[in-house]
């Protein structure tokens, strides 16, 4: 398997009205082959900001290798599109929120380990916390240009919504990482 095979399969799956379900099926087929997927993406560090994690971006689809350092937590944020994640190594806790009329509402949470798939509709937001001693590394697929669409993030203390701007995001991520738990949990 090569990175180009990954991109081709995801691009083909995401073309059409049932893109998220089709992408999930592809990721499900790869669950037992995560070592091959990881090896195909070895050339991507997965660190250094989202721009360095993306290896395919169009207005319709983004594919990233993402590495969350151990012990780090993100502030609540959305993706401006549907999202699908296949965890390749490590483990992470995701707290999922619905965006309601009064702001964020807790929906559920999941601990993801290698081979686990998480899908989120376009109107979902979440936090991610890397668990354990090793970073959580995953293949992330989005139904749009995740680095070019308008997105939101929420202050982890006040849950005030802000446009996602990377410098401010990093400040909120530091505060989120120092908190005892994710908001609304």
């Amino acid at each position: 398997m090569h990175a180009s095979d990954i991109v081709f399969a995801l691009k083909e799956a995401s073309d059409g009205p049932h893109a998220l379900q089709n992408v999930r099926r592809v990721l499900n087929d790869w669950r037992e082959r995560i070592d091959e997927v990881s090896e195909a993406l070895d050339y991507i560090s997965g660190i250094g900001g989202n721009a360095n994690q993306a290896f395919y971006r169009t207005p319709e689809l983004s594919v990233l290798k993402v590495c969350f350092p151990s012990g780090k937590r993100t502030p609540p944020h959305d993706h401006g599109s549907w999202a699908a994640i296949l965890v390749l190594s490590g483990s992470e806790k995701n707290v999922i929120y619905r965006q309601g009329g009064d702001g964020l509402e807790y929906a559920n949470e999941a601990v993801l380990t290698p081979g686990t798939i998480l899908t989120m509709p376009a109107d979902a937001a979440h936090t991610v916390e890397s668990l354990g001693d090793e970073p959580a590394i995953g293949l992330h697929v989005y139904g749009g240009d995740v680095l070019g669409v308008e997105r939101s993030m929420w202050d982890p203390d006040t849950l005030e919504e802000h446009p996602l701007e990377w410098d401010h995001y990093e400040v909120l991520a530091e505060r989120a990482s120092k908190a005892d738990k994710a908001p609304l949990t």
Side-chain angles (χ1 to χ4, degrees), residues 4-30 56 58 60-63 82 84 119 139 141-144:
S4 59
D5 300 323
I6 292 170
V7 169
F8 179 79
L10 294 170
K11 186 174 179 322
E12 186 174 67
S14 67
D15 189 24
H18 304 290
L20 180 56
Q21 295 90 336
N22 293 338
V23 165
R24 183 180 178 86
R25 276 194 278 279
V26 170
L27 296 180
N28 193 56
D29 289 344
W30 292 343
Y56 184 80
T58 67
E60 297 80 29
L61 183 70
S62 297
V63 186
W82 56 259
T119 58
L139 175 63
V141 186
Y142 303 99

Side-chain angles (χ1 to χ4, degrees), residues 74-81 94-100 103-108 118 120-128 152-154 161:
T74 68
H77 63 279
D78 67 16
H79 299 110
S81 71
N94 282 256
V95 176
I96 313 297
Y97 305 94
R98 286 184 291 274
Q99 298 182 48
L104 293 182
E105 301 170 357
Y106 174 88
N108 59 35
L118 175 69
M120 291 179 284
D123 62 350
H126 74 142
T127 63
V128 180
S152 291
M153 62 184 180
W154 288 261
E161 184 176 359

Side-chain angles (χ1 to χ4, degrees), residues 46-120:
I47 58 173
N50 284 340
N52 293 329
Q53 298 167 341
F55 61 96
Y56 184 80
R57 284 178 57 203
T58 67
E60 297 80 29
L61 183 70
S62 297
V63 186
L64 290 75
K65 175 184 174 184
V66 176
C67 176
F68 286 108
S70 178
K72 296 293 184 178
R73 182 185 298 125
T74 68
H77 63 279
D78 67 16
H79 299 110
S81 71
W82 56 259
I85 300 165
L86 170 63
V87 175
L88 303 173
S89 63
S91 64
E92 64 183 50
K93 179 180 180 180
N94 282 256
V95 176
I96 313 297
Y97 305 94
R98 286 184 291 274
Q99 298 182 48
D102 294 330
L104 293 182
E105 301 170 357
Y106 174 88
N108 59 35
E109 54 190 72
V111 173
L112 311 180
T113 57
T116 306
I117 299 167
L118 175 69
T119 58
M120 291 179 284

